[in-house]
Amino acid sequence: MTVGIVGAGQLGRMMALAGLPLGERFLFLDREEDSPGAQVAPSLLGAIDDAALLETLARRCEVVTFDVENLPREAAERVAAHTRLLPPVDALATAQDRLLEKTLFNALGIETVAWRAVDSLEELRDAAAALGLPAVLKTRRLGYDGRGQRFIRQQDELVGAWEALGGVPMILEAFAPFDEEVSLIGVRNPRGERRHYPLTRNVHWQGILDYSLAPVTRPGLQQQAERCLDRLLEHFAYAGVLTVEFFVVDGQLLANEMAPRVHNSGHWTLEGAVTSQFENHLRGILDLPLGDTTARGHSAMVNFLGHLPERAEVLAIEGCHFHDYGKSPRPRRKIGHATVVCAERSALPGRLERLRALTGRER
Ligand code: AMP
């Protein structure tokens, strides 16, 4: 069997690495010759929306998945016309548009911050009056890693924020005074089996994931999160891994966004869970029995952004695993990560601090 992957970034690369032991072969589509994925499996070279290449990929693969969230709906449908494309196109299209996403969350009874759709400066003023300030203005589409959004603290910042984001369709969200941010990763296969990983706590730096801690052991929260995720999994008749990010406000979860794919906050599962998110994603889309999602201990995952620390220094930390994505460094770019797994929770903070010190980032 060959699994096609649109986009050959680190997520695709880690999927391929997880799938080789299952006996799968992989074929990527990516415009970069020396992409992280192309370093481990063959790749068709070209744009991810190139019609001819998408068709070639679809014809050569039994199932096609993606490691990019910005795959246009038409491109996904072109693949789906010839072979199975999973996760489903509807889940992809919903996650690409914050208006569709928040509307669906609320329709399924999944709580979010209060929000308003905003298509003009006048609507922005009305929304700010209705929701109050501070608030967060976000473009409906193409926002990630802190891009495409502005925090608005005062009335006189409205025009500047609207213009800075280009006057495109947006949503305004009430500011969530969160205690922490968590994410839940779940997986479903077409025959309807479901599994969930333990909740992961995520800490951001300049809008990008800095580090994750797992498992978060708050039984009430885990159940709340699983209920939300299950509604989405069933709504889409989903296959593969789905991630939902939440704010924790006064012990309640407010859903922020979903990602129809393996997720940076699940990288700890490679060494810290019985089955990794990458293997479970493949098991999900191939309709295989799903793997145990139990944590093996206590894990911390730290991203390497724009700079890879000395490998030997990372590996000198007990229980640490180093991942280099084979990408050229650019400021803020995700080029690798490390995960430290400890049997005892008490050992984790010290090792996490040593690891974070190697990234050179300030808190
Ligand atoms: P997002 O692109 O929606 O994931 O937002 C990136 C980060 O901005 C989140 O992880 C939060 O740290 C912060 N953020 C986004 N929306 C809100 C909000 N409504 N209230 C408070 N913080 C937010």
Short mmCIF file of all heavy atoms in Angstrom, two decimals, residues 62-114:
data_model
loop_
_atom_site.label_atom_id
_atom_site.label_comp_id
_atom_site.label_asym_id
_atom_site.label_seq_id
_atom_site.Cartn_x
_atom_site.Cartn_y
_atom_site.Cartn_z
N GLU A 62 -3.48 4.45 -2.32
CA GLU A 62 -4.74 3.89 -1.86
C GLU A 62 -5.48 4.86 -0.96
O GLU A 62 -6.71 4.84 -0.88
CB GLU A 62 -4.50 2.58 -1.08
CG GLU A 62 -4.19 1.40 -1.95
CD GLU A 62 -2.75 1.39 -2.47
OE1 GLU A 62 -1.95 2.27 -2.06
OE2 GLU A 62 -2.43 0.52 -3.29
N VAL A 63 -4.72 5.66 -0.25
CA VAL A 63 -5.32 6.67 0.62
C VAL A 63 -4.38 7.87 0.64
O VAL A 63 -3.17 7.71 0.53
CB VAL A 63 -5.60 6.11 2.04
CG1 VAL A 63 -4.36 5.54 2.68
CG2 VAL A 63 -6.24 7.15 2.96
N VAL A 64 -4.96 9.06 0.69
CA VAL A 64 -4.15 10.28 0.73
C VAL A 64 -4.54 11.08 1.97
O VAL A 64 -5.72 11.21 2.29
CB VAL A 64 -4.35 11.14 -0.55
CG1 VAL A 64 -3.66 12.49 -0.42
CG2 VAL A 64 -3.81 10.40 -1.78
N THR A 65 -3.53 11.60 2.66
CA THR A 65 -3.76 12.48 3.79
C THR A 65 -2.93 13.75 3.59
O THR A 65 -2.34 13.94 2.52
CB THR A 65 -3.45 11.74 5.11
OG1 THR A 65 -3.87 12.53 6.22
CG2 THR A 65 -1.97 11.41 5.26
N PHE A 66 -2.88 14.63 4.56
CA PHE A 66 -2.18 15.91 4.35
C PHE A 66 -1.51 16.33 5.63
O PHE A 66 -1.95 15.98 6.73
CB PHE A 66 -3.16 17.00 3.87
CG PHE A 66 -4.48 16.97 4.59
CD1 PHE A 66 -4.66 17.66 5.77
CD2 PHE A 66 -5.55 16.23 4.09
CE1 PHE A 66 -5.86 17.62 6.43
CE2 PHE A 66 -6.76 16.18 4.76
CZ PHE A 66 -6.92 16.88 5.94
N ASP A 67 -0.42 17.07 5.50
CA ASP A 67 0.25 17.58 6.70
C ASP A 67 0.16 19.10 6.75
O ASP A 67 0.75 19.73 7.61
CB ASP A 67 1.69 17.05 6.80
CG ASP A 67 2.77 18.01 6.32
OD1 ASP A 67 2.48 18.83 5.43
OD2 ASP A 67 3.90 17.93 6.83
N VAL A 68 -0.61 19.67 5.82
CA VAL A 68 -0.79 21.12 5.78
C VAL A 68 -2.27 21.43 5.99
O VAL A 68 -3.13 20.69 5.53
CB VAL A 68 -0.37 21.71 4.43
CG1 VAL A 68 1.13 21.76 4.30
CG2 VAL A 68 -0.97 20.93 3.27
N GLU A 69 -2.53 22.53 6.69
CA GLU A 69 -3.93 22.85 6.93
C GLU A 69 -4.49 23.74 5.84
O GLU A 69 -5.70 23.91 5.73
CB GLU A 69 -4.05 23.57 8.27
CG GLU A 69 -4.95 22.84 9.23
CD GLU A 69 -4.96 23.50 10.56
OE1 GLU A 69 -3.96 23.40 11.28
OE2 GLU A 69 -5.97 24.15 10.87
N ASN A 70 -3.60 24.33 5.02
CA ASN A 70 -4.09 25.29 4.03
C ASN A 70 -4.29 24.66 2.65
O ASN A 70 -4.31 25.36 1.64
CB ASN A 70 -3.12 26.49 3.94
CG ASN A 70 -1.71 26.06 3.56
OD1 ASN A 70 -1.46 24.86 3.40
ND2 ASN A 70 -0.81 27.00 3.43
N LEU A 71 -4.46 23.35 2.61
CA LEU A 71 -4.77 22.70 1.33
C LEU A 71 -6.15 23.17 0.88
O LEU A 71 -7.14 22.94 1.58
CB LEU A 71 -4.77 21.17 1.53
CG LEU A 71 -5.14 20.33 0.32
CD1 LEU A 71 -4.10 20.46 -0.79
CD2 LEU A 71 -5.29 18.85 0.72
N PRO A 72 -6.24 23.86 -0.27
CA PRO A 72 -7.53 24.40 -0.68
C PRO A 72 -8.57 23.29 -0.86
O PRO A 72 -8.23 22.18 -1.28
CB PRO A 72 -7.24 25.08 -2.03
CG PRO A 72 -5.77 25.28 -2.06
CD PRO A 72 -5.18 24.18 -1.22
N ARG A 73 -9.83 23.63 -0.58
CA ARG A 73 -10.92 22.65 -0.68
C ARG A 73 -10.95 21.99 -2.06
O ARG A 73 -11.11 20.78 -2.18
CB ARG A 73 -12.25 23.37 -0.40
CG ARG A 73 -13.38 22.42 -0.39
CD ARG A 73 -14.73 23.01 -0.12
NE ARG A 73 -15.57 21.84 0.07
CZ ARG A 73 -16.21 21.53 1.18
NH1 ARG A 73 -16.19 22.33 2.20
NH2 ARG A 73 -16.88 20.43 1.28
N GLU A 74 -10.77 22.82 -3.12
CA GLU A 74 -10.84 22.27 -4.48
C GLU A 74 -9.75 21.23 -4.71
O GLU A 74 -9.96 20.23 -5.40
CB GLU A 74 -10.69 23.37 -5.54
CG GLU A 74 -11.60 24.59 -5.37
CD GLU A 74 -11.16 25.48 -4.22
OE1 GLU A 74 -10.02 25.98 -4.26
OE2 GLU A 74 -11.95 25.67 -3.27
N ALA A 75 -8.56 21.49 -4.15
CA ALA A 75 -7.45 20.55 -4.31
C ALA A 75 -7.78 19.24 -3.60
O ALA A 75 -7.56 18.14 -4.13
CB ALA A 75 -6.16 21.15 -3.75
N ALA A 76 -8.35 19.35 -2.40
CA ALA A 76 -8.71 18.15 -1.64
C ALA A 76 -9.78 17.36 -2.39
O ALA A 76 -9.73 16.13 -2.46
CB ALA A 76 -9.19 18.55 -0.25
N GLU A 77 -10.73 18.08 -2.98
CA GLU A 77 -11.81 17.39 -3.70
C GLU A 77 -11.29 16.71 -4.96
O GLU A 77 -11.79 15.67 -5.37
CB GLU A 77 -12.94 18.38 -4.02
CG GLU A 77 -13.82 18.58 -2.79
CD GLU A 77 -14.81 19.71 -2.90
OE1 GLU A 77 -14.70 20.52 -3.85
OE2 GLU A 77 -15.69 19.79 -2.02
N ARG A 78 -10.29 17.32 -5.57
CA ARG A 78 -9.69 16.71 -6.76
C ARG A 78 -9.10 15.34 -6.42
O ARG A 78 -9.24 14.38 -7.17
CB ARG A 78 -8.59 17.65 -7.30
CG ARG A 78 -8.14 17.35 -8.68
CD ARG A 78 -7.21 18.45 -9.16
NE ARG A 78 -7.92 19.68 -9.48
CZ ARG A 78 -8.53 19.91 -10.64
NH1 ARG A 78 -8.52 18.98 -11.58
NH2 ARG A 78 -9.14 21.04 -10.87
N VAL A 79 -8.44 15.27 -5.26
CA VAL A 79 -7.88 13.99 -4.80
C VAL A 79 -9.02 13.02 -4.48
O VAL A 79 -9.01 11.85 -4.88
CB VAL A 79 -6.99 14.19 -3.56
CG1 VAL A 79 -6.52 12.85 -3.02
CG2 VAL A 79 -5.79 15.08 -3.89
N ALA A 80 -10.02 13.53 -3.75
CA ALA A 80 -11.12 12.67 -3.27
C ALA A 80 -11.93 12.09 -4.43
O ALA A 80 -12.61 11.08 -4.26
CB ALA A 80 -12.02 13.47 -2.33
N ALA A 81 -11.82 12.70 -5.61
CA ALA A 81 -12.55 12.18 -6.77
C ALA A 81 -11.95 10.85 -7.25
O ALA A 81 -12.60 10.08 -7.94
CB ALA A 81 -12.54 13.20 -7.90
N HIS A 82 -10.68 10.60 -6.89
CA HIS A 82 -9.98 9.41 -7.41
C HIS A 82 -9.64 8.39 -6.35
O HIS A 82 -9.43 7.23 -6.65
CB HIS A 82 -8.68 9.83 -8.11
CG HIS A 82 -8.91 10.71 -9.28
ND1 HIS A 82 -9.37 10.22 -10.48
CD2 HIS A 82 -8.80 12.04 -9.43
CE1 HIS A 82 -9.50 11.22 -11.34
NE2 HIS A 82 -9.17 12.34 -10.71
N THR A 83 -9.49 8.83 -5.12
CA THR A 83 -9.09 7.88 -4.07
C THR A 83 -9.63 8.41 -2.74
O THR A 83 -10.24 9.47 -2.69
CB THR A 83 -7.55 7.73 -4.04
OG1 THR A 83 -7.21 6.62 -3.21
CG2 THR A 83 -6.85 8.97 -3.53
N ARG A 84 -9.38 7.66 -1.66
CA ARG A 84 -9.86 8.14 -0.36
C ARG A 84 -8.97 9.27 0.13
O ARG A 84 -7.75 9.13 0.16
CB ARG A 84 -9.84 7.00 0.66
CG ARG A 84 -11.05 6.08 0.53
CD ARG A 84 -10.96 4.95 1.50
NE ARG A 84 -9.77 4.16 1.23
CZ ARG A 84 -9.03 3.55 2.16
NH1 ARG A 84 -9.35 3.65 3.42
NH2 ARG A 84 -7.98 2.84 1.82
N LEU A 85 -9.57 10.39 0.52
CA LEU A 85 -8.82 11.48 1.13
C LEU A 85 -9.30 11.58 2.57
O LEU A 85 -10.49 11.82 2.83
CB LEU A 85 -9.06 12.81 0.42
CG LEU A 85 -8.30 13.94 1.14
CD1 LEU A 85 -6.98 14.22 0.47
CD2 LEU A 85 -9.12 15.19 1.26
N LEU A 86 -8.41 11.36 3.52
CA LEU A 86 -8.78 11.38 4.93
C LEU A 86 -7.73 12.13 5.74
O LEU A 86 -6.55 12.01 5.42
CB LEU A 86 -8.89 9.93 5.46
CG LEU A 86 -10.03 9.10 4.84
CD1 LEU A 86 -9.88 7.64 5.19
CD2 LEU A 86 -11.38 9.64 5.30
N PRO A 87 -8.14 12.88 6.76
CA PRO A 87 -9.49 13.17 7.25
C PRO A 87 -10.38 13.81 6.18
O PRO A 87 -9.88 14.33 5.17
CB PRO A 87 -9.23 14.16 8.39
CG PRO A 87 -7.82 13.89 8.83
CD PRO A 87 -7.10 13.48 7.60
N PRO A 88 -11.72 13.77 6.41
CA PRO A 88 -12.67 14.22 5.39
C PRO A 88 -12.52 15.70 5.01
O PRO A 88 -12.13 16.52 5.83
CB PRO A 88 -14.04 14.01 6.06
CG PRO A 88 -13.79 13.13 7.24
CD PRO A 88 -12.38 13.29 7.63
N VAL A 89 -12.84 15.97 3.75
CA VAL A 89 -12.71 17.33 3.22
C VAL A 89 -13.49 18.35 4.08
O VAL A 89 -13.01 19.46 4.31
CB VAL A 89 -13.24 17.39 1.76
CG1 VAL A 89 -13.17 18.81 1.22
CG2 VAL A 89 -12.45 16.46 0.87
N ASP A 90 -14.67 17.98 4.56
CA ASP A 90 -15.46 18.92 5.35
C ASP A 90 -14.75 19.37 6.62
O ASP A 90 -14.86 20.52 7.03
CB ASP A 90 -16.81 18.29 5.76
CG ASP A 90 -17.81 18.38 4.63
OD1 ASP A 90 -17.52 19.11 3.65
OD2 ASP A 90 -18.86 17.73 4.73
N ALA A 91 -14.03 18.44 7.24
CA ALA A 91 -13.30 18.78 8.46
C ALA A 91 -12.17 19.76 8.13
O ALA A 91 -11.94 20.74 8.85
CB ALA A 91 -12.73 17.52 9.12
N LEU A 92 -11.50 19.51 7.00
CA LEU A 92 -10.42 20.39 6.56
C LEU A 92 -10.97 21.79 6.28
O LEU A 92 -10.43 22.79 6.77
CB LEU A 92 -9.79 19.79 5.29
CG LEU A 92 -8.72 20.61 4.59
CD1 LEU A 92 -7.44 20.63 5.42
CD2 LEU A 92 -8.41 20.04 3.21
N ALA A 93 -12.07 21.86 5.53
CA ALA A 93 -12.63 23.17 5.14
C ALA A 93 -13.14 23.93 6.37
O ALA A 93 -13.02 25.16 6.44
CB ALA A 93 -13.75 22.96 4.13
N THR A 94 -13.68 23.22 7.33
CA THR A 94 -14.19 23.88 8.53
C THR A 94 -13.04 24.46 9.35
O THR A 94 -13.12 25.59 9.85
CB THR A 94 -15.00 22.88 9.39
OG1 THR A 94 -16.03 22.33 8.58
CG2 THR A 94 -15.60 23.54 10.61
N ALA A 95 -11.97 23.70 9.47
CA ALA A 95 -10.83 24.17 10.26
C ALA A 95 -10.12 25.36 9.61
O ALA A 95 -9.42 26.11 10.28
CB ALA A 95 -9.84 23.03 10.47
N GLN A 96 -10.32 25.53 8.30
CA GLN A 96 -9.64 26.63 7.60
C GLN A 96 -10.33 27.97 7.79
O GLN A 96 -9.79 29.00 7.41
CB GLN A 96 -9.60 26.33 6.09
CG GLN A 96 -8.59 25.27 5.73
CD GLN A 96 -8.71 24.83 4.29
OE1 GLN A 96 -9.67 25.17 3.59
NE2 GLN A 96 -7.75 24.05 3.84
N ASP A 97 -11.53 27.95 8.34
CA ASP A 97 -12.32 29.18 8.42
C ASP A 97 -12.86 29.33 9.84
O ASP A 97 -13.71 28.55 10.27
CB ASP A 97 -13.47 29.08 7.40
CG ASP A 97 -14.30 30.36 7.34
OD1 ASP A 97 -14.35 31.10 8.35
OD2 ASP A 97 -14.89 30.61 6.29
N ARG A 98 -12.35 30.34 10.55
CA ARG A 98 -12.72 30.48 11.97
C ARG A 98 -14.22 30.70 12.17
O ARG A 98 -14.76 30.35 13.21
CB ARG A 98 -11.95 31.64 12.60
CG ARG A 98 -10.45 31.38 12.72
CD ARG A 98 -9.79 32.53 13.48
NE ARG A 98 -8.34 32.48 13.43
CZ ARG A 98 -7.59 31.79 14.28
NH1 ARG A 98 -8.13 31.09 15.24
NH2 ARG A 98 -6.27 31.82 14.17
N LEU A 99 -14.88 31.27 11.15
CA LEU A 99 -16.33 31.49 11.28
C LEU A 99 -17.07 30.14 11.22
O LEU A 99 -17.92 29.86 12.07
CB LEU A 99 -16.82 32.43 10.17
CG LEU A 99 -18.33 32.67 10.13
CD1 LEU A 99 -18.83 33.29 11.42
CD2 LEU A 99 -18.70 33.56 8.94
N LEU A 100 -16.73 29.31 10.23
CA LEU A 100 -17.36 27.99 10.13
C LEU A 100 -17.06 27.15 11.37
O LEU A 100 -17.93 26.45 11.90
CB LEU A 100 -16.85 27.23 8.89
CG LEU A 100 -17.10 27.85 7.53
CD1 LEU A 100 -16.59 26.92 6.42
CD2 LEU A 100 -18.59 28.12 7.34
N GLU A 101 -15.82 27.25 11.83
CA GLU A 101 -15.35 26.44 12.95
C GLU A 101 -16.11 26.80 14.24
O GLU A 101 -16.66 25.93 14.91
CB GLU A 101 -13.86 26.72 13.10
CG GLU A 101 -13.11 25.93 14.13
CD GLU A 101 -11.64 26.35 14.11
OE1 GLU A 101 -11.31 27.56 14.21
OE2 GLU A 101 -10.79 25.47 14.01
N LYS A 102 -16.17 28.09 14.54
CA LYS A 102 -16.85 28.50 15.78
C LYS A 102 -18.36 28.25 15.68
O LYS A 102 -19.00 27.89 16.66
CB LYS A 102 -16.57 29.99 16.07
CG LYS A 102 -15.13 30.22 16.53
CD LYS A 102 -15.10 30.85 17.90
CE LYS A 102 -13.80 30.70 18.67
NZ LYS A 102 -12.54 30.69 17.97
N THR A 103 -18.92 28.44 14.48
CA THR A 103 -20.35 28.18 14.28
C THR A 103 -20.65 26.70 14.55
O THR A 103 -21.62 26.37 15.23
CB THR A 103 -20.76 28.56 12.84
OG1 THR A 103 -20.44 29.93 12.62
CG2 THR A 103 -22.26 28.36 12.62
N LEU A 104 -19.79 25.83 14.03
CA LEU A 104 -20.01 24.39 14.25
C LEU A 104 -19.84 24.04 15.73
O LEU A 104 -20.66 23.30 16.30
CB LEU A 104 -19.03 23.55 13.40
CG LEU A 104 -19.18 22.05 13.64
CD1 LEU A 104 -20.53 21.53 13.12
CD2 LEU A 104 -18.04 21.27 12.98
N PHE A 105 -18.78 24.55 16.35
CA PHE A 105 -18.58 24.27 17.79
C PHE A 105 -19.88 24.59 18.55
O PHE A 105 -20.39 23.77 19.29
CB PHE A 105 -17.46 25.13 18.37
CG PHE A 105 -16.06 24.71 18.01
CD1 PHE A 105 -14.97 25.54 18.28
CD2 PHE A 105 -15.80 23.49 17.40
CE1 PHE A 105 -13.67 25.17 17.97
CE2 PHE A 105 -14.49 23.10 17.08
CZ PHE A 105 -13.43 23.96 17.36
N ASN A 106 -20.39 25.78 18.35
CA ASN A 106 -21.57 26.21 19.11
C ASN A 106 -22.80 25.37 18.74
O ASN A 106 -23.58 25.00 19.62
CB ASN A 106 -21.82 27.70 18.91
CG ASN A 106 -20.70 28.57 19.50
OD1 ASN A 106 -20.53 29.73 19.15
ND2 ASN A 106 -19.90 28.02 20.40
N ALA A 107 -22.94 25.03 17.45
CA ALA A 107 -24.09 24.21 17.03
C ALA A 107 -24.05 22.83 17.69
O ALA A 107 -25.08 22.23 17.96
CB ALA A 107 -24.10 24.06 15.51
N LEU A 108 -22.84 22.32 17.95
CA LEU A 108 -22.70 21.00 18.58
C LEU A 108 -22.69 21.11 20.10
O LEU A 108 -22.42 20.12 20.79
CB LEU A 108 -21.41 20.32 18.09
CG LEU A 108 -21.34 19.93 16.61
CD1 LEU A 108 -19.97 19.34 16.27
CD2 LEU A 108 -22.42 18.92 16.25
N GLY A 109 -22.92 22.30 20.62
CA GLY A 109 -22.95 22.48 22.08
C GLY A 109 -21.57 22.54 22.70
O GLY A 109 -21.40 22.30 23.90
N ILE A 110 -20.55 22.84 21.89
CA ILE A 110 -19.18 22.98 22.39
C ILE A 110 -18.95 24.45 22.70
O ILE A 110 -19.03 25.30 21.81
CB ILE A 110 -18.16 22.48 21.33
CG1 ILE A 110 -18.40 20.98 21.05
CG2 ILE A 110 -16.73 22.74 21.77
CD1 ILE A 110 -17.63 20.45 19.85
N GLU A 111 -18.66 24.74 23.95
CA GLU A 111 -18.58 26.15 24.35
C GLU A 111 -17.31 26.83 23.86
O GLU A 111 -16.24 26.22 23.82
CB GLU A 111 -18.66 26.25 25.87
CG GLU A 111 -20.07 26.10 26.36
CD GLU A 111 -20.19 26.43 27.82
OE1 GLU A 111 -19.73 27.52 28.22
OE2 GLU A 111 -20.73 25.59 28.53
N THR A 112 -17.47 28.11 23.53
CA THR A 112 -16.34 28.94 23.09
C THR A 112 -16.45 30.28 23.82
O THR A 112 -17.45 30.53 24.49
CB THR A 112 -16.42 29.23 21.58
OG1 THR A 112 -17.65 29.94 21.33
CG2 THR A 112 -16.41 27.97 20.74
N VAL A 113 -15.47 31.16 23.63
CA VAL A 113 -15.64 32.54 24.07
C VAL A 113 -16.77 33.15 23.23
O VAL A 113 -17.08 32.64 22.14
CB VAL A 113 -14.36 33.39 23.87
CG1 VAL A 113 -13.24 32.92 24.78
CG2 VAL A 113 -13.92 33.41 22.42
N ALA A 114 -17.35 34.26 23.71
CA ALA A 114 -18.33 34.97 22.88
C ALA A 114 -17.59 35.55 21.67
O ALA A 114 -16.43 35.96 21.78
CB ALA A 114 -18.98 36.08 23.69
#
